[in-house]
Coordinates of all heavy atoms in Angstrom, one line a residue:
M1373 N 0.8 -1.2 0.0 CA 0.0 0.0 0.0 C 0.9 1.2 0.0 O 2.0 1.2 0.6 CB -0.9 0.0 1.2 CG -1.9 -1.2 1.2 SD -3.2 -0.9 2.4 CE -4.4 -1.9 1.6
K1374 N 0.4 2.3 -0.7 CA 1.2 3.5 -0.7 C 0.3 4.7 -0.6 O -0.9 4.7 -0.8 CB 1.9 3.5 -2.1 CG 1.0 3.5 -3.3 CD 1.8 3.4 -4.5 CE 0.8 3.3 -5.7 NZ 1.5 3.0 -6.9
K1375 N 1.0 5.8 -0.2 CA 0.3 7.0 0.0 C -0.4 7.5 -1.3 O 0.2 7.3 -2.4 CB 1.4 8.0 0.4 CG 0.9 9.3 1.1 CD 2.1 10.0 1.6 CE 1.7 11.4 2.1 NZ 2.8 12.1 2.7
G1376 N -1.6 8.0 -1.1 CA -2.4 8.5 -2.3 C -3.2 7.4 -2.9 O -4.1 7.7 -3.8
Q1377 N -3.1 6.2 -2.5 CA -3.9 5.1 -3.0 C -5.3 5.2 -2.5 O -5.6 5.5 -1.4 CB -3.2 3.8 -2.6 CG -3.8 2.6 -3.2 CD -3.0 1.3 -2.9 OE1 -2.2 1.3 -1.9 NE2 -3.1 0.3 -3.6
R1378 N -6.2 4.8 -3.4 CA -7.7 4.8 -3.1 C -8.0 3.4 -2.6 O -7.5 2.4 -3.1 CB -8.5 5.1 -4.3 CG -8.2 6.5 -4.9 CD -8.9 7.6 -4.1 NE -10.3 7.6 -4.3 CZ -11.2 8.2 -3.5 NH1 -10.8 8.9 -2.5 NH2 -12.5 8.2 -3.8
I1379 N -8.8 3.4 -1.6 CA -9.2 2.1 -0.9 C -10.7 2.0 -0.6 O -11.4 3.1 -0.6 CB -8.4 1.9 0.4 CG1 -8.5 3.0 1.4 CG2 -6.9 1.7 0.0 CD1 -9.8 2.9 2.2
R1380 N -11.1 0.8 -0.3 CA -12.5 0.6 0.3 C -12.3 -0.1 1.6 O -11.5 -1.0 1.7 CB -13.3 -0.2 -0.7 CG -14.7 -0.5 -0.2 CD -15.5 -1.4 -1.2 NE -15.5 -0.9 -2.5 CZ -16.3 0.0 -3.0 NH1 -17.2 0.6 -2.3 NH2 -16.2 0.4 -4.3
L1381 N -13.1 0.3 2.6 CA -13.1 -0.3 3.9 C -13.9 -1.6 3.8 O -15.1 -1.5 3.5 CB -13.6 0.6 5.0 CG -13.4 0.1 6.4 CD1 -12.0 0.0 6.8 CD2 -14.2 1.0 7.4
V1382 N -13.3 -2.8 4.0 CA -14.1 -4.0 3.9 C -14.4 -4.7 5.3 O -15.2 -5.6 5.4 CB -13.4 -5.0 3.0 CG1 -13.4 -4.5 1.5 CG2 -12.0 -5.3 3.4
S1383 N -13.6 -4.2 6.3 CA -13.9 -4.7 7.7 C -13.3 -3.6 8.6 O -12.6 -2.7 8.1 CB -13.2 -6.0 7.9 OG -11.9 -6.0 7.7
F1384 N -13.6 -3.7 9.9 CA -13.0 -2.8 10.9 C -12.4 -3.6 12.0 O -13.2 -4.4 12.6 CB -14.0 -1.8 11.3 CG -13.4 -0.8 12.3 CD1 -12.6 0.2 11.8 CD2 -13.6 -0.8 13.6 CE1 -12.0 1.2 12.6 CE2 -13.0 0.1 14.5 CZ -12.2 1.1 14.0
N1385 N -11.2 -3.5 12.3 CA -10.4 -4.3 13.3 C -10.7 -5.8 13.1 O -10.8 -6.5 14.0 CB -10.8 -3.9 14.7 CG -10.2 -2.6 15.1 OD1 -9.1 -2.2 14.5 ND2 -10.7 -1.9 16.1
G1386 N -10.7 -6.2 11.8 CA -10.8 -7.6 11.4 C -12.2 -8.2 11.4 O -12.3 -9.4 11.2
T1387 N -13.2 -7.4 11.7 CA -14.6 -7.9 11.7 C -15.5 -7.1 10.9 O -15.2 -5.9 10.6 CB -15.1 -8.0 13.2 OG1 -15.3 -6.7 13.7 CG2 -14.2 -8.8 14.1
V1388 N -16.7 -7.6 10.6 CA -17.7 -6.9 9.8 C -18.9 -6.5 10.7 O -19.8 -5.8 10.2 CB -18.1 -7.7 8.6 CG1 -17.0 -7.8 7.6 CG2 -18.7 -9.0 9.0
N1389 N -18.9 -6.9 11.9 CA -20.0 -6.5 12.8 C -19.5 -6.0 14.1 O -18.6 -6.6 14.7 CB -20.9 -7.7 13.1 CG -21.6 -8.2 11.9 OD1 -22.3 -7.5 11.2 ND2 -21.4 -9.5 11.6
P1390 N -20.0 -4.9 14.6 CA -19.6 -4.3 15.9 C -20.2 -5.1 17.1 O -21.1 -5.9 16.9 CB -20.2 -2.9 15.9 CG -21.4 -3.0 15.1 CD -21.1 -4.1 14.0
D1391 N -19.6 -5.0 18.2 CA -20.2 -5.5 19.5 C -21.6 -4.9 19.7 O -21.9 -3.8 19.3 CB -19.3 -5.2 20.7 CG -18.0 -6.0 20.7 OD1 -17.9 -7.0 20.0 OD2 -17.1 -5.5 21.3
S1392 N -22.5 -5.7 20.3 CA -23.8 -5.2 20.5 C -23.9 -4.0 21.4 O -24.9 -3.2 21.4 CB -24.7 -6.3 21.1 OG -24.2 -6.8 22.3
N1393 N -22.9 -3.8 22.3 CA -22.9 -2.7 23.2 C -22.0 -1.5 22.8 O -21.6 -0.7 23.6 CB -22.6 -3.2 24.6 CG -21.2 -3.7 24.7 OD1 -20.5 -4.0 23.6 ND2 -20.6 -3.9 25.9
I1394 N -21.8 -1.4 21.5 CA -20.9 -0.3 21.0 C -21.5 1.0 21.2 O -22.7 1.2 20.9 CB -20.5 -0.6 19.5 CG1 -19.4 0.3 19.0 CG2 -21.7 -0.5 18.6 CD1 -18.0 -0.2 19.3
D1395 N -20.7 2.0 21.6 CA -21.1 3.4 21.6 C -21.2 3.8 20.1 O -20.3 3.6 19.3 CB -20.0 4.2 22.3 CG -20.4 5.7 22.4 OD1 -21.1 6.2 21.5 OD2 -20.0 6.3 23.4
E1396 N -22.3 4.4 19.8 CA -22.6 4.8 18.4 C -21.5 5.8 17.8 O -21.3 5.8 16.6 CB -24.0 5.4 18.2 CG -25.1 4.3 18.1 CD -24.9 3.3 17.0 OE1 -24.7 3.7 15.8 OE2 -24.9 2.1 17.3
R1397 N -20.9 6.5 18.7 CA -19.9 7.5 18.2 C -18.6 6.7 17.8 O -17.7 7.2 17.2 CB -19.5 8.5 19.3 CG -20.7 9.4 19.6 CD -20.4 10.3 20.8 NE -20.3 9.4 21.9 CZ -19.9 9.8 23.1 NH1 -19.5 11.0 23.3 NH2 -19.8 8.9 24.1
E1398 N -18.5 5.5 18.3 CA -17.3 4.6 18.0 C -17.7 3.5 17.0 O -16.9 2.6 16.8 CB -16.7 4.0 19.3 CG -16.3 5.1 20.3 CD -15.0 5.8 19.9 OE1 -14.2 5.2 19.3 OE2 -14.9 7.1 20.2
N1399 N -18.9 3.5 16.5 CA -19.3 2.4 15.6 C -18.8 2.7 14.2 O -19.5 3.0 13.2 CB -20.8 2.3 15.6 CG -21.3 1.2 14.8 OD1 -20.6 0.4 14.2 ND2 -22.6 1.0 14.8
F1400 N -17.5 2.5 14.0 CA -16.8 2.7 12.7 C -17.2 1.7 11.7 O -16.8 1.8 10.5 CB -15.3 2.8 12.9 CG -14.9 3.9 13.8 CD1 -14.4 3.7 15.1 CD2 -15.1 5.2 13.4 CE1 -14.1 4.8 15.9 CE2 -14.8 6.3 14.3 CZ -14.3 6.1 15.5
W1401 N -18.0 0.7 12.0 CA -18.5 -0.3 11.1 C -19.5 0.4 10.1 O -19.8 -0.2 9.1 CB -19.1 -1.5 11.8 CG -18.0 -2.4 12.5 CD1 -17.5 -3.5 11.9 CD2 -17.4 -2.2 13.7 NE1 -16.5 -4.0 12.8 CE2 -16.5 -3.2 13.9 CE3 -17.6 -1.2 14.7 CZ2 -15.7 -3.3 15.1 CZ3 -16.8 -1.3 15.9 CH2 -15.9 -2.4 16.0
K1402 N -20.0 1.5 10.5 CA -20.8 2.3 9.6 C -20.1 2.7 8.3 O -20.7 3.0 7.3 CB -21.3 3.6 10.3 CG -22.3 3.4 11.4 CD -22.6 4.8 12.0 CE -23.6 4.7 13.2 NZ -23.9 6.1 13.7
L1403 N -18.8 2.6 8.4 CA -18.0 3.0 7.2 C -17.7 1.9 6.3 O -17.0 2.1 5.3 CB -16.7 3.7 7.7 CG -16.8 5.0 8.5 CD1 -15.5 5.4 9.1 CD2 -17.3 6.1 7.5
L1404 N -18.2 0.7 6.6 CA -17.9 -0.5 5.7 C -18.4 -0.1 4.3 O -19.5 0.5 4.1 CB -18.6 -1.7 6.2 CG -18.0 -2.3 7.5 CD1 -18.7 -3.6 7.9 CD2 -16.5 -2.6 7.4
N1405 N -17.5 -0.4 3.3 CA -17.8 -0.2 1.9 C -17.5 1.3 1.5 O -17.7 1.6 0.3 CB -19.1 -0.6 1.4 CG -19.2 -2.2 1.5 OD1 -18.3 -2.8 1.0 ND2 -20.3 -2.7 2.1
E1406 N -17.2 2.1 2.5 CA -16.9 3.5 2.1 C -15.5 3.6 1.5 O -14.6 2.7 1.7 CB -16.9 4.4 3.4 CG -18.3 4.6 4.0 CD -19.2 5.4 3.1 OE1 -18.7 6.3 2.4 OE2 -20.4 5.1 3.2
I1407 N -15.3 4.6 0.7 CA -14.0 4.8 0.0 C -13.3 6.0 0.6 O -13.8 6.9 1.1 CB -14.3 5.1 -1.5 CG1 -14.9 3.8 -2.1 CG2 -13.1 5.5 -2.3 CD1 -15.4 3.9 -3.5
G1408 N -11.9 5.8 0.5 CA -11.1 6.9 1.0 C -9.7 6.8 0.4 O -9.5 6.0 -0.6
T1409 N -8.8 7.6 0.9 CA -7.5 7.7 0.3 C -6.4 7.6 1.5 O -6.6 8.2 2.5 CB -7.3 9.1 -0.3 OG1 -8.3 9.3 -1.3 CG2 -5.9 9.2 -1.0
I1410 N -5.4 6.8 1.2 CA -4.3 6.7 2.2 C -3.5 8.0 2.2 O -3.0 8.5 1.1 CB -3.3 5.5 1.8 CG1 -4.1 4.2 1.9 CG2 -2.1 5.5 2.8 CD1 -3.3 3.0 1.4
I1411 N -3.5 8.7 3.3 CA -2.8 10.0 3.4 C -1.5 9.9 4.1 O -0.6 10.7 3.9 CB -3.7 11.1 3.9 CG1 -4.2 10.8 5.3 CG2 -4.8 11.4 2.9 CD1 -5.0 12.0 5.9
Y1412 N -1.3 8.9 5.0 CA -0.1 8.7 5.7 C 0.1 7.2 6.0 O -0.8 6.5 6.3 CB 0.0 9.5 7.1 CG 0.1 10.9 6.9 CD1 -1.0 11.8 7.2 CD2 1.3 11.5 6.5 CE1 -0.8 13.1 7.0 CE2 1.4 12.9 6.3 CZ 0.3 13.7 6.6 OH 0.5 15.0 6.4
L1413 N 1.4 6.8 5.9 CA 1.8 5.5 6.4 C 2.3 5.7 7.9 O 2.6 6.8 8.3 CB 2.9 5.0 5.6 CG 2.7 4.9 4.1 CD1 3.9 4.5 3.3 CD2 1.5 4.0 3.8
A1414 N 2.2 4.6 8.6 CA 2.5 4.7 10.1 C 3.8 5.4 10.4 O 3.9 6.3 11.3 CB 2.4 3.3 10.7
H1415 N 4.9 5.0 9.7 CA 6.2 5.6 10.0 C 6.3 7.1 9.7 O 7.1 7.8 10.4 CB 7.3 4.8 9.3 CG 7.3 5.1 7.8 ND1 6.5 4.4 6.9 CD2 8.0 6.0 7.1 CE1 6.8 4.8 5.7 NE2 7.7 5.8 5.8
E1416 N 5.5 7.6 8.8 CA 5.5 9.0 8.5 C 5.0 9.9 9.7 O 5.4 11.0 9.8 CB 4.7 9.3 7.3 CG 5.2 8.7 6.0 CD 4.3 9.0 4.8 OE1 3.2 8.5 4.9 OE2 4.8 9.6 3.9
K1417 N 4.1 9.4 10.5 CA 3.6 10.1 11.6 C 4.0 9.5 13.0 O 3.5 9.8 14.0 CB 2.1 10.1 11.6 CG 1.5 11.0 10.5 CD 1.7 12.4 10.9 CE 1.0 13.4 9.9 NZ 1.1 14.7 10.3
K1418 N 5.0 8.5 12.9 CA 5.5 7.9 14.1 C 4.3 7.2 14.9 O 4.3 7.1 16.1 CB 6.2 8.8 15.0 CG 7.5 9.3 14.3 CD 8.3 10.2 15.2 CE 9.5 10.6 14.3 NZ 10.1 11.8 14.8
F1419 N 3.4 6.7 14.1 CA 2.3 5.9 14.7 C 2.8 4.6 15.2 O 3.6 3.9 14.4 CB 1.1 5.7 13.7 CG -0.1 5.2 14.3 CD1 -1.0 6.1 15.0 CD2 -0.5 3.9 14.2 CE1 -2.2 5.6 15.6 CE2 -1.7 3.4 14.7 CZ -2.5 4.3 15.4
P1420 N 2.5 4.1 16.4 CA 3.1 3.0 16.9 C 2.8 1.6 16.3 O 3.6 0.7 16.4 CB 2.6 2.9 18.4 CG 1.4 3.7 18.4 CD 1.5 4.8 17.3
N1421 N 1.8 1.5 15.5 CA 1.4 0.3 14.9 C 1.7 0.4 13.4 O 0.9 1.0 12.6 CB -0.1 0.0 15.1 CG -0.5 -1.4 14.6 OD1 0.1 -1.9 13.7 ND2 -1.5 -1.9 15.2
S1422 N 2.7 -0.3 12.9 CA 3.1 -0.2 11.5 C 2.1 -0.9 10.6 O 2.2 -0.8 9.3 CB 4.5 -0.8 11.3 OG 4.5 -2.2 11.6
N1423 N 1.2 -1.7 11.1 CA 0.2 -2.3 10.3 C -1.0 -1.5 10.0 O -2.0 -1.9 9.4 CB -0.4 -3.6 11.0 CG 0.7 -4.7 11.1 OD1 1.5 -4.8 10.2 ND2 0.8 -5.3 12.3
R1424 N -1.0 -0.2 10.3 CA -2.1 0.7 10.1 C -1.6 1.9 9.1 O -0.5 2.2 9.1 CB -2.6 1.3 11.4 CG -3.3 0.3 12.2 CD -3.9 0.9 13.4 NE -4.5 -0.1 14.3 CZ -5.8 -0.4 14.4 NH1 -6.7 0.3 13.6 NH2 -6.2 -1.3 15.2
V1425 N -2.6 2.4 8.4 CA -2.4 3.6 7.6 C -3.5 4.6 7.9 O -4.6 4.2 8.4 CB -2.4 3.2 6.1 CG1 -1.2 2.4 5.7 CG2 -3.7 2.5 5.7
L1426 N -3.2 5.9 7.7 CA -4.2 6.9 8.0 C -5.0 7.1 6.7 O -4.5 7.4 5.7 CB -3.6 8.2 8.4 CG -4.5 9.3 8.9 CD1 -5.3 8.9 10.2 CD2 -3.8 10.6 9.2
I1427 N -6.3 6.9 6.8 CA -7.3 7.0 5.7 C -8.1 8.2 5.9 O -8.7 8.4 6.9 CB -8.2 5.7 5.7 CG1 -7.4 4.4 5.6 CG2 -9.2 5.9 4.5 CD1 -6.6 4.3 4.4
K1428 N -8.2 9.0 4.8 CA -9.1 10.1 4.8 C -10.3 9.6 4.0 O -10.2 9.4 2.8 CB -8.5 11.4 4.2 CG -9.5 12.5 4.2 CD -8.9 13.8 3.8 CE -9.9 14.9 3.9 NZ -9.4 16.1 4.3
F1429 N -11.4 9.5 4.7 CA -12.6 9.0 4.0 C -13.3 10.1 3.2 O -13.3 11.3 3.6 CB -13.6 8.4 5.0 CG -13.1 7.1 5.6 CD1 -12.4 7.0 6.8 CD2 -13.4 5.9 4.9 CE1 -12.0 5.8 7.2 CE2 -12.9 4.7 5.4 CZ -12.2 4.7 6.6
D1430 N -14.0 9.7 2.1 CA -14.7 10.7 1.3 C -16.0 11.1 2.1 O -16.4 12.3 1.9 CB -15.2 10.0 0.0 CG -14.0 9.7 -0.9 OD1 -12.8 10.1 -0.6 OD2 -14.2 9.0 -1.9
S1431 N -16.5 10.3 3.0 CA -17.7 10.6 3.8 C -17.3 11.5 4.9 O -16.2 11.5 5.4 CB -18.3 9.3 4.3 OG -18.7 8.5 3.3
D1432 N -18.3 12.3 5.4 CA -18.1 13.1 6.6 C -18.4 12.3 7.8 O -19.6 12.0 8.1 CB -19.0 14.3 6.4 CG -18.9 15.3 7.6 OD1 -18.0 15.2 8.4 OD2 -19.8 16.1 7.7
L1433 N -17.4 12.0 8.6 CA -17.5 11.2 9.8 C -18.5 11.8 10.8 O -19.3 11.1 11.4 CB -16.2 10.9 10.4 CG -15.4 9.7 9.9 CD1 -15.1 9.8 8.5 CD2 -14.2 9.4 10.7
K1434 N -18.4 13.1 11.0 CA -19.3 13.8 12.0 C -20.8 13.7 11.6 O -21.6 13.5 12.4 CB -18.9 15.2 12.1 CG -17.6 15.4 12.9 CD -17.3 16.8 13.3 CE -15.9 16.9 13.9 NZ -15.9 17.3 15.2
S1435 N -21.0 13.8 10.2 CA -22.4 13.7 9.8 C -23.0 12.3 10.0 O -24.2 12.1 10.1 CB -22.6 14.1 8.4 OG -22.0 13.2 7.5
L1436 N -22.1 11.3 10.1 CA -22.5 9.9 10.4 C -22.5 9.7 11.9 O -22.8 8.5 12.3 CB -21.5 8.9 9.8 CG -21.5 8.9 8.2 CD1 -20.3 8.1 7.7 CD2 -22.8 8.4 7.7
G1437 N -22.2 10.7 12.7 CA -22.3 10.6 14.2 C -21.1 9.9 14.7 O -21.1 9.4 15.9
L1438 N -19.9 9.9 14.0 CA -18.7 9.2 14.5 C -17.7 10.2 15.0 O -17.6 11.4 14.5 CB -18.1 8.4 13.3 CG -19.0 7.3 12.7 CD1 -18.4 6.8 11.5 CD2 -19.2 6.3 13.8
E1439 N -16.9 9.8 16.0 CA -15.8 10.5 16.5 C -14.6 10.5 15.5 O -14.4 9.6 14.8 CB -15.3 9.9 17.8 CG -16.3 10.0 19.0 CD -16.4 11.4 19.5 OE1 -15.4 12.2 19.5 OE2 -17.5 11.8 19.9
C1440 N -13.9 11.6 15.5 CA -12.7 11.7 14.7 C -11.6 12.4 15.6 O -11.7 13.5 15.9 CB -13.0 12.5 13.4 SG -11.5 12.6 12.3
H1441 N -10.6 11.6 16.0 CA -9.7 12.1 16.9 C -8.4 12.5 16.3 O -7.4 12.9 17.0 CB -9.3 10.9 17.9 CG -10.5 10.4 18.6 ND1 -11.2 11.0 19.6 CD2 -11.1 9.1 18.5 CE1 -12.2 10.3 20.0 NE2 -12.2 9.1 19.4
N1442 N -8.3 12.6 15.0 CA -7.1 13.0 14.3 C -7.2 14.4 13.9 O -8.2 15.0 13.7 CB -6.9 12.1 13.1 CG -6.7 10.6 13.5 OD1 -5.8 10.3 14.2 ND2 -7.7 9.8 13.1
D1443 N -6.0 15.0 13.6 CA -5.9 16.4 13.2 C -6.5 16.6 11.8 O -7.1 17.6 11.5 CB -4.5 16.9 13.1 CG -3.8 17.0 14.5 OD1 -4.6 17.2 15.5 OD2 -2.6 16.9 14.6
E1444 N -6.4 15.6 11.0 CA -7.0 15.6 9.6 C -8.4 15.2 9.7 O -8.8 14.1 10.2 CB -6.2 14.6 8.7 CG -6.6 14.7 7.3 CD -6.2 15.9 6.6 OE1 -5.1 16.5 6.8 OE2 -7.0 16.4 5.7
P1445 N -9.4 16.1 9.3 CA -10.8 15.7 9.3 C -11.1 14.5 8.5 O -10.5 14.2 7.5 CB -11.5 16.9 8.7 CG -10.5 18.0 8.7 CD -9.1 17.4 8.7
N1446 N -12.1 13.7 9.0 CA -12.6 12.5 8.3 C -11.5 11.4 8.2 O -11.6 10.7 7.2 CB -13.2 12.9 7.0 CG -14.3 13.8 7.2 OD1 -15.1 13.7 8.1 ND2 -14.3 14.9 6.4
S1447 N -10.6 11.4 9.1 CA -9.5 10.4 8.9 C -9.4 9.5 10.2 O -9.7 9.9 11.3 CB -8.2 11.1 8.7 OG -7.8 11.8 9.8
L1448 N -9.0 8.2 9.9 CA -8.9 7.2 10.9 C -7.7 6.3 10.6 O -7.4 6.1 9.4 CB -10.1 6.3 11.0 CG -11.4 6.9 11.4 CD1 -12.6 5.9 11.2 CD2 -11.4 7.4 12.8
W1449 N -7.0 5.9 11.6 CA -5.9 4.9 11.5 C -6.6 3.5 11.3 O -7.3 3.0 12.3 CB -5.0 4.9 12.7 CG -4.1 6.1 12.7 CD1 -4.3 7.3 13.4 CD2 -2.9 6.3 11.9 NE1 -3.3 8.1 13.1 CE2 -2.4 7.6 12.2 CE3 -2.2 5.5 11.0 CZ2 -1.3 8.1 11.6 CZ3 -1.1 6.0 10.4 CH2 -0.6 7.3 10.7
I1450 N -6.4 2.9 10.2 CA -7.0 1.6 9.9 C -6.0 0.5 9.6 O -5.0 0.8 9.0 CB -7.9 1.8 8.6 CG1 -9.0 2.9 8.8 CG2 -8.6 0.5 8.2 CD1 -10.1 2.6 9.8
L1451 N -6.3 -0.7 10.0 CA -5.5 -1.8 9.7 C -5.4 -2.0 8.2 O -6.5 -2.0 7.5 CB -6.0 -3.1 10.4 CG -5.8 -3.2 11.9 CD1 -6.7 -4.4 12.4 CD2 -4.3 -3.4 12.2
K1452 N -4.2 -2.3 7.7 CA -4.1 -2.6 6.3 C -5.0 -3.7 5.8 O -5.5 -3.7 4.7 CB -2.6 -2.8 5.9 CG -1.7 -1.6 6.1 CD -0.3 -2.1 5.8 CE 0.7 -0.9 6.2 NZ 2.1 -1.4 6.0
S1453 N -5.1 -4.7 6.7 CA -5.9 -5.9 6.4 C -7.4 -5.6 6.3 O -8.1 -6.5 5.8 CB -5.6 -7.0 7.4 OG -6.0 -6.6 8.7
D1454 N -7.8 -4.5 6.7 CA -9.3 -4.1 6.6 C -9.6 -3.4 5.3 O -10.7 -2.9 5.1 CB -9.6 -3.2 7.8 CG -9.7 -3.9 9.1 OD1 -10.1 -5.1 9.1 OD2 -9.5 -3.2 10.2
L1455 N -8.6 -3.2 4.5 CA -8.7 -2.4 3.3 C -8.6 -3.2 2.0 O -7.9 -4.2 2.0 CB -7.6 -1.3 3.3 CG -7.6 -0.4 4.5 CD1 -6.4 0.5 4.4 CD2 -8.9 0.4 4.6
K1456 N -9.3 -2.8 1.0 CA -9.2 -3.4 -0.3 C -8.8 -2.2 -1.3 O -9.5 -1.2 -1.3 CB -10.5 -4.0 -0.8 CG -10.5 -4.6 -2.1 CD -11.8 -5.2 -2.5 CE -11.7 -5.8 -3.9 NZ -12.9 -6.3 -4.4
E1457 N -7.8 -2.5 -2.1 CA -7.4 -1.5 -3.1 C -8.4 -1.4 -4.2 O -9.0 -2.4 -4.6 CB -6.0 -1.9 -3.7 CG -4.9 -2.0 -2.6 CD -3.6 -2.6 -3.2 OE1 -3.5 -2.6 -4.4 OE2 -2.8 -3.0 -2.3
I1458 N -8.6 -0.2 -4.6 CA -9.6 0.0 -5.8 C -8.9 0.7 -6.9 O -7.8 1.3 -6.8 CB -10.9 0.7 -5.4 CG1 -10.6 2.1 -4.7 CG2 -11.7 -0.1 -4.4 CD1 -11.8 2.9 -4.5

């Protein structure tokens, strides 16, 4: 995977269904099948997990009721294994 690559989210943290008691603000499974762009690799931002990339989603996370804890709007650190290249 490389920076600038377009992807589709096919799972979140290795699963396709959230726990039944998930806080809706953390229900990132709502983003399944959403498309985004890889904007950073882990080493570029000194992110501790090299198996993740920072994805900027085309969708507005806040309008979906989701938390976004990154400086870049609509972005999440996602496991590479949860992504499909498009």
